[in-house]
Amino acid sequence: MSNVERIEDEARARIAAAATLEALEEARVALLGKQGSVSALMKTLGAMDPEERREKAPAIQGLRQTVSDALSARKAELEEAALETRLASETIDLTLPAPQAPQGSVHPVSQVMDELAEIFADLGFSVATGPEIEDDWYNFTALNMPESHPARAMHDTFYFPDQAPKGGRMLLRTHTSPVQVRTMLEAAKVEGSAPVRIIAPGRVYRSDSDATHTPMFHQVEGLVVDRDIHMGHLKWTLETFLKAFFEKDDIVLRLRPSYFPFTEPSVEVDVGFALESGPDGKSRRVLGGSGDAPGHGWMELLGSGMVNRRVLEFAGLDPDEWQGFAFGVGVDRLAMLKYGMDDLRAFFDGDVRWLAHYGFSAFDQPTLSGGVGAAS
Ligand code: PHE
């Protein structure tokens, strides 16, 4: 028997004897590995003279191919057998509950905006939007804040280097009030003008950052323009809105004279709250009742007033024919008060644990109540 035949017989026996994939791998190394017997035989080719090599090479190379094919065939057999064993032994319990798919949740800011849209829709308001990158004219000038007006300084504005089409520079809007102007300009185009009843929720930006201020936050602006509109309409609307939002009937408002360039007269609106001690012993503010009652206080909630005549004129409306009221309130602040969060910055950290705690199921109705406002 030649050397080649002997090695082939040995190889076949060894491969056939391999009962597991691990044993087969050992056989492969022993045959075709660097130190393997077939490899050793291949190496002898190099030492032969050309004549001899020509004669013996086909058999030796053929052997390598045969062994390699035998290894593959055995491997397929063993894999097949392993699969058969698994199929025979493993079972699937179809009665087990399916693993829970991770569920997203609605951010409290989105939830509150939806609640506001619902509440105001009932009062006949629609939702208006405007750009966050705003023209100086819409953000300030048309709101009766000409250049060098001191109220501009209070807004800590982020400016762009770009010139704005209507003068000044482009900026990140510092409040949602420019939507007032844009909406009134649209309304003024309509023959005889149209009453305006909108809320404008959205992101606003100011260069300010601490526990109660973030450089980006959310406001909702309300605007009504019609004939014979007066402060009574403003107060009723705010009262109705806040009672619906906090889901409490004894919300008491206090209107305090204030100043905004775009409203005249202007009022700051406070709501009464009671200090109550919670189950954890900490005292907390519960909205409701007059702030003047013993153990109660007033908290500032929003700014509002009658739309300044000059703003109506800027928007192309005749102030002798049309009057309006406007208000602006922080959406994040409303969410904190209703649902009891204490740090504004956490709203925008993007921490899913916070969202799991405070977020809302996508299937929740937007008027579901909870938090501070609901406790009484
Ligand atoms: N735009 C004001 C602010 O951001 C709020 C406001 C709106 C006040 C409408 C009065 C009327 O400070």
Side-chain angles (χ1 to χ4, degrees), residues 239-366:
E239 226 168 59
T240 306
F241 145 52
L242 292 171
K243 283 177 180 172
F245 179 74
F246 289 111
E247 299 187 36
K248 291 199 83 168
D249 281 333
D250 66 340
I251 296 285
V252 181
L253 303 188
R254 182 176 75 173
L255 272 53
R256 224 169 355 100
S258 182
Y259 172 77
F260 298 103
F262 31 87
T263 46
E264 177 61 37
S266 301
V267 286
E268 207 77 65
V269 178
D270 300 335
V271 281
F273 65 86
L275 269 182
E276 285 179 9
S277 59
D280 54 359
K282 285 192 203 148
S283 73
R284 53 197 192 122
R285 294 169 167 198
V286 176
L287 294 190
S290 162
D292 291 329
H296 287 229
W298 294 107
M299 112 170 78
E300 187 179 309
L301 193 62
L302 54 85
S304 63
M306 300 303 296
V307 180
N308 192 302
R309 291 174 64 89
R310 287 181 56 83
V311 175
L312 290 168
E313 280 167 7
F314 271 119
L317 292 167
D318 176 357
D320 288 326
E321 194 181 347
W322 303 97
Q323 296 77 45
F325 67 77
F327 60 88
V329 55
V331 175
D332 320 288
R333 189 164 155 68
L334 286 176
M336 288 168 87
L337 276 173
K338 182 165 176 178
Y339 296 109
M341 303 88 168
D342 50 12
D343 190 342
L344 178 62
R345 287 169 297 194
F347 274 70
F348 313 117
D349 279 349
D351 187 333
V352 289
R353 291 167 305 178
W354 186 87
L355 257 188
H357 187 73
Y358 288 112
F360 296 85
S361 156
F363 302 113
D364 273 359
Q365 292 300 309

Side-chain angles (χ1 to χ4, degrees), residues 155 174-175 177 180 206 219 221 260 262-263 303-305 326-328:
H155 279 224
T174 58
H175 50 179
S177 304
Q180 270 191 46
R206 293 186 200 183
Q219 283 190 337
E221 178 98 4
F260 298 103
F262 31 87
T263 46
S304 63
F327 60 88

